[in-house]
Amino acid sequence: MSVESLRARLTARVGRLLIEAELDTAGGTLVIVGPNGAGKSSLLSLLLGVLPAEQGRVSIGDTVLLDTEAKLDVPMEQRRLGYVPQDYALFPHLSVRENIAFALGSTSTPPSKSERTQRVDAMLTDLGLTAHAERRTHALSGGEKQRVALARALSVGPRALLLDEPLAALDVHSRHEARALLARYLAKVALPSVVVTDDAE
């Protein structure tokens, strides 16, 4: 199955930082490596539409999300981009199941309750989280939290997946396991993906 590419050409100022970037996932996963403060997270925010671009174009296949020349800027909530932030941003007072369901309920056209349950169950099974479904996320290990954040991002059927320092919050042992899981899963989901990290390994 062929995977559409996420392509972007962007220029923006974020504080005193000038970001000029051109990227193409080439139908797979693109990993961007650089030191802290280089603008990697800001680049993801530009792709998401959280930060405004001065100039540029962002597209996934034939779908254009941003074109400053054409004055087209699809709102963030309509871009359908899955995003896993560095700290995972899970709700500690909610269970694993409720965290994933929250994402589905927040889409522009939320699925029915029965469809939401089916999709949550599918993500729990797919990412090996069924045994943790009713646990609160504050009680999970770093690797388990990462899987919940990934399940939440994927549950909405995104056009592309953006991961911000997905291994940074993990200890060395968990990082090795999580890296292997991410490599397997990103190859499996057939989505254009952008991973930013300061860890070249």
Side-chain angles (χ1 to χ4, degrees), residues 4 27 39 42 69 75 131 141 188-189 193:
E4 294 182 317
S42 295
E69 282 188 19
S141 70
K188 174 185 173 183
V189 295
S193 304

Side-chain angles (χ1 to χ4, degrees), residues 47-97:
L47 295 172
L48 286 164
V50 174
L51 293 175
E54 292 175 12
Q55 281 185 294
R57 190 173 198 274
V58 177
S59 64
I60 301 172
D62 294 330
T63 304
V64 179
L65 304 180
L66 172 75
D67 188 333
T68 54
E69 282 188 19
K71 296 191 175 5
L72 171 68
D73 188 358
V74 174
M76 178 180 66
E77 63 275 9
Q78 294 175 22
R79 291 191 180 197
R80 280 188 43 218
L81 298 175
Y83 175 58
V84 178
Q86 184 172 341
D87 61 0
Y88 309 136
L90 300 174
F91 298 110
H93 62 291
L94 298 181
S95 68
V96 169
R97 175 181 298 281

Side-chain angles (χ1 to χ4, degrees), residues 121-139:
D121 286 344
M123 293 311 309
L124 290 169
T125 301
D126 212 23
L127 281 156
L129 292 165
T130 305
H132 306 294
E134 307 310 324
R135 291 178 67 192
R136 303 254 192 249
T137 58
H138 68 79

Side-chain angles (χ1 to χ4, degrees), residues 5-199:
S5 286
L6 167 62
R7 294 186 176 92
R9 188 184 67 257
L10 295 163
T11 302
R13 287 196 179 277
V14 181
R16 293 175 11 187
L17 182 68
L18 172 65
I19 296 177
E20 293 180 315
E22 189 167 342
L23 61 89
D24 185 341
T25 63
T29 299
L30 174 68
V31 180
I32 300 172
V33 181
N36 288 330
K40 302 183 305 295
S41 295
S42 295
L43 176 59
L44 294 187
S45 293
L46 287 164
L47 295 172
L48 286 164
V50 174
L51 293 175
E54 292 175 12
Q55 281 185 294
R57 190 173 198 274
V58 177
S59 64
I60 301 172
D62 294 330
T63 304
V64 179
L65 304 180
L66 172 75
D67 188 333
T68 54
E69 282 188 19
K71 296 191 175 5
L72 171 68
D73 188 358
V74 174
M76 178 180 66
E77 63 275 9
Q78 294 175 22
R79 291 191 180 197
R80 280 188 43 218
L81 298 175
Y83 175 58
V84 178
Q86 184 172 341
D87 61 0
Y88 309 136
L90 300 174
F91 298 110
H93 62 291
L94 298 181
S95 68
V96 169
R97 175 181 298 281
E98 291 166 335
N99 265 275
I100 300 169
F102 180 87
L104 286 164
S106 302
T107 58
S108 54
T109 53
S112 67
K113 188 174 179 182
S114 62
E115 185 185 346
R116 193 181 309 183
T117 300
Q118 288 175 351
R119 283 164 73 174
V120 170
D121 286 344
M123 293 311 309
L124 290 169
T125 301
D126 212 23
L127 281 156
L129 292 165
T130 305
H132 306 294
E134 307 310 324
R135 291 178 67 192
R136 303 254 192 249
T137 58
H138 68 79
L140 301 177
S141 70
E144 290 162 350
K145 287 178 181 176
Q146 184 199 56
R147 281 188 280 154
V148 176
L150 188 57
R152 186 178 61 187
L154 291 167
S155 68
V156 298
R159 293 184 176 115
L161 187 61
L162 310 178
L163 295 99
D164 189 359
E165 300 278 4
L167 307 174
L170 305 178
D171 59 40
V172 173
H173 176 70
S174 298
R175 190 175 299 176
H176 180 73
E177 289 183 352
R179 187 184 297 122
L181 170 84
L182 272 178
R184 285 194 312 272
Y185 205 80
L186 290 176
K188 174 185 173 183
V189 295
L191 281 175
S193 304
V194 178
V195 181
V196 302
T197 180
D198 60 6
D199 179 1

